[in-house]
Amino acid sequence: MIYINQSGYFTDGTKRAVMINPAEKFDILDNSGKAVFSGSVKHFGFDECSGDNVYTADFSELTEQGTFTIRTDSGDVSKKFEIGAKVYDKLFDDVSKAFYYLRCGCGLDEKHAGVYKHGKCHCTKAVLWEDNSVEIEASGGWHDAGDYGRYVTAGAVALAHILYGYTLFPNAFDKQNLNIPESGNGVPDMLSECRYELEWLLKMQRDDGGVYHKLTTKGHAAFVMPEDDKGQLYLLPVSSMATADFAAVCALAYRVYKKFDSNFADKLLAAAEKAEKWLEANPDFLFNNPKECTTGGYGEWKDDDNRFWAYAELFAATEKEVYYDKMMLALEKDFPITQLGYASVGGLGALAYMTCGRNDELSERFRNAYTAEAEKLAETAEKSGYGAAMTDKHYFWGSNMNLMKHAMIFAIATACGEKDFTVYAQKQLDVLMGVNALGISYVTGNGYYRCNYPHLRPSSADGIEECIPGMVIGGPNSRPVEPTARQYIPEGTPPMKSYVDREEFYSLNEITIYWNSPAVFALAFLMK
Ligand code: 9MR
Ligand code: ZN
């Protein structure tokens, strides 16, 4: 087996393949079978996370465009792959358009969704969990994941990844055509897509500024199309994390949208400041997820990092000293400052400050923290035969989120600091797209050997064999929560191989908006 990036390699980029059969030499053959490049196979040795004895082929020096295969002197031949400047265009557009396919409340038409069209869903009013007589219209937004819930902290973090991605690498988004209803309106499509989520988010705010934690049915729906999920919708109690994340992402969105639509931007900022008022009046951590409501909890134990992110963004948006002071106060608490969510969001607060235009001691502190984190991760990647900046502890529920967040850290350190970690960001993408111990592409609809049976209700119920494209799969998990997963992944299976493409296993094979969003960010960086 020869594991390659199934989406291909950039002409000028780093290019690596991994194999598990011993070999000494390799050739790269063009479409006519002619060898255009030859190199030595390197014996990496034992790779801990996969349990494989790994060999690698580096052909970064080959800068010819076209379609190629790799052949080793032991007779292995890879599948075809591309080298070119546009190899990730489809992948980038697909992982971006995934959000459109998750839209709730509007129905997807044939023009934009093709065979994946479906009717309007979840349009009835929601009632307050604590007082069912209060009805509230809060339709819209993105379905969170394989389930139809809509959760504020998850949504805020997914938006943040994309909006910070846009802030740092606007060029990658400016030319995108995602074929969504808003395409051609003069606003980058990805921002129109994010606006769909933001409009919903605004509906989740209570009059006193507090923000409901989530909007879901009492339990998860059966595997039916979204329009057939008719369960009563509930707004679950306000939480301090939801309110803080809401304040942060609305302030960030204000910064992003003000040049496109100042009315919308002002509305976002007003909502952010209103949320801040609530935070001020409610200094204690607040979270109450009634156990009778069995949809996702997204519980946390502390909100210091969330509050820090809120103040950092409010300062970035308004330059009001009062927010600076509150941010500094929040920063005195103990939490990591390079974590990118969904729960731990200190790194998003750091990003807020790093992108606000100030160049001072504080921005340097944040930059240095990202550089240090990137250096640590690069070391880990060097110890992996597959080039993954992952240790066994990263292979839990949603491991591909860790993989892509590590790509984000390489991207942030490169874009904001002095050292170039692009090679490592590329390697994380390679791992996602097939340079891994199962040789599988973890993005639906992309790659010759790809996941196709995710835990995703519409894809199960629609009767269409090919899954909706562009969905980043949760991926290998050495501690799957479903006991029956052990039939496919025996105890003791190496972490990188602890995966099976079967719909019933949500702890291995689900999708969510905040697993897609770091991939959008990482690709935007690589494509900029
Ligand atoms: O992504 C979440 C993962 O980190 C947690 O371990 C898991 C259990 O709490 O929940 C995951 O989030 C799920 C959420 O609760 C509901 N929607 C689907 C999410 C992805 O599986
Ligand atoms: Zn819906």
Side-chain angles (χ1 to χ4, degrees), residues 32 64 67 130 144-145 167 256 265 281 288 303 351 453 479 526:
S32 69
E64 200 177 309
T67 307
E130 302 122 304
D144 179 58
T167 303
V256 170
N288 163 26
D303 62 15
L351 259 183
Y453 305 100
R479 293 182 296 273
L526 289 169

Side-chain angles (χ1 to χ4, degrees), residues 48-49 376-377 379-381 383-384 388-396 399 402 406 478 495-496:
E48 234 169 89
C49 285
K376 222 168 72 192
L377 290 169
E379 237 172 77
T380 306
K383 287 189 198 134
S384 155
M390 302 275 283
T391 60
D392 54 356
K393 74 167 200 292
H394 294 121
Y395 288 96
F396 53 82
S399 65
N402 293 328
H406 296 168
S478 46
M496 208 189 206

Side-chain angles (χ1 to χ4, degrees), residues 238-259:
V238 165
S239 75
S240 53
M241 297 92 72
T243 307
D245 288 8
F246 172 100
V249 83
C250 287
L252 167 61
Y254 161 80
R255 292 203 279 150
V256 170
Y257 289 84
K258 68 178 170 209
K259 80 167 196 224

